[in-house]
Amino acid sequence: MAAHDLTDRPADDARNEPQHETRQALLDAAEELFAEHGIDGTSLRAITRHAGANVAAIHYYFGSKEGLVQEVFARRLAPLAAARLTRLEACGEPSETTLECILRAFVEPFVELGWSIDRGTSAPHLSGRLMAQVITDRGDFLRGALAAELRETFDRFGRALTLAVPHLDREELIARFNFAIGTLVHAVGGIRLFDEENRALERSDALVDRLVAFLVAGFRAPAC
């Protein structure tokens, strides 16, 4: 057997399982801490302590903190983008797609992502607070690093909305799309006033219906 055959093992080789588990533990720890403390407020040492690993492991698996940040967001955004585009395509021909169907295709996968993550963590609405980091981050790195993950989704939904609400010019459409994203992140992030009066929003289907109704009204409103 050639020497290289001893090292070229498949990715799912049993001996690689501890490495895979360490990598996943680092991603999970970083995601939880970024959501709770923000990216700048989370140190590599805090992440490794939470994951039961050492700082060298981050450099080994991700190269740097920036590489870790990119992986944390990409692993959530890639399947989210795919789910959104699949549901948008299910709405039918762009010229015949309703505004409600477009917005439901955008909203529903994000709400479902938030609920699925929350079931396995003590931090409520982890995904909403994590995604808020993308929106509120003032640096160029995070937005630039994730542009490829987001660009196709925003372009496709932007084209669909242009047809659905022709009374809005591009500037107004972009503004309302930004308001829609902020509303979605706020709602799934679990930020509630008068929480005792909003128990229905603890069901994902109720939250989706109310968000879609709210956003449809916002997009249909007359141009400013």
Side-chain angles (χ1 to χ4, degrees):
M1 179 182 290
H4 70 272
D5 290 337
L6 297 175
T7 56
D8 292 345
R9 301 293 184 184
D12 60 353
D13 189 284
R15 283 173 292 185
N16 286 330
E17 288 182 4
Q19 291 188 3
H20 175 74
E21 291 172 0
T22 299
R23 189 176 189 277
Q24 288 300 115
L26 288 168
L27 288 169
D28 291 342
E31 180 172 344
E32 183 175 341
L33 293 176
F34 289 160
E36 185 175 353
H37 304 292
I39 296 169
D40 291 338
T42 302
S43 68
L44 293 183
R45 195 164 300 279
I47 294 169
T48 53
R49 184 168 57 248
H50 200 70
N54 56 57
V55 175
I58 289 181
H59 296 286
Y60 177 78
Y61 291 112
F62 308 104
S64 63
K65 183 178 181 180
E66 286 78 11
L68 173 62
V69 170
Q70 185 171 353
E71 285 284 334
V72 166
F73 283 92
R75 75 170 181 162
R76 297 301 182 197
L77 289 175
L80 174 63
R84 280 171 161 167
L85 292 177
T86 296
R87 296 187 195 197
L88 180 62
E89 290 173 1
C91 288
E93 292 297 321
S95 59
E96 300 175 0
T97 300
T98 66
L99 177 60
E100 180 176 357
C101 191
I102 295 168
L103 293 173
R104 186 171 292 276
F106 191 77
V107 167
E108 202 165 41
F110 188 80
V111 173
E112 290 174 355
L113 172 66
W115 254 250
S116 66
I117 293 175
D118 293 345
R119 292 295 177 261
T121 178
S122 60
H125 304 284
L126 180 60
S127 68
R129 289 183 288 121
L130 182 68
M131 291 303 112
Q133 298 294 333
V134 178
I135 296 173
T136 60
D137 183 77
R138 295 183 178 275
D140 293 331
F141 164 72
L142 185 56
R143 293 184 182 183
L146 300 177
E149 301 285 352
L150 300 171
R151 178 54 55 194
E152 183 183 2
T153 302
F154 288 168
D155 285 349
R156 293 273 298 278
F157 275 88
R159 289 195 294 271
L161 287 168
T162 297
L163 294 172
V165 285
H167 67 290
L168 301 180
D169 61 24
R170 178 175 173 78
E171 182 179 358
E172 187 65 24
L173 183 65
I174 291 173
R176 296 192 192 191
F177 199 9
N178 277 314
F179 296 156
I181 294 169
T183 300
L184 180 56
V185 170
H186 180 91
V188 178
I191 304 170
R192 307 257 204 276
L193 298 177
F194 317 113
D195 187 59
E196 68 279 1
E197 299 177 11
N198 285 278
R199 293 303 179 189
L201 299 186
E202 293 304 320
R203 300 197 333 268
S204 61
D205 57 338
L207 179 57
V208 169
D209 290 343
R210 292 186 181 193
L211 278 168
V212 170
F214 182 81
L215 296 177
V216 165
F219 276 98
R220 284 183 177 158
C224 298

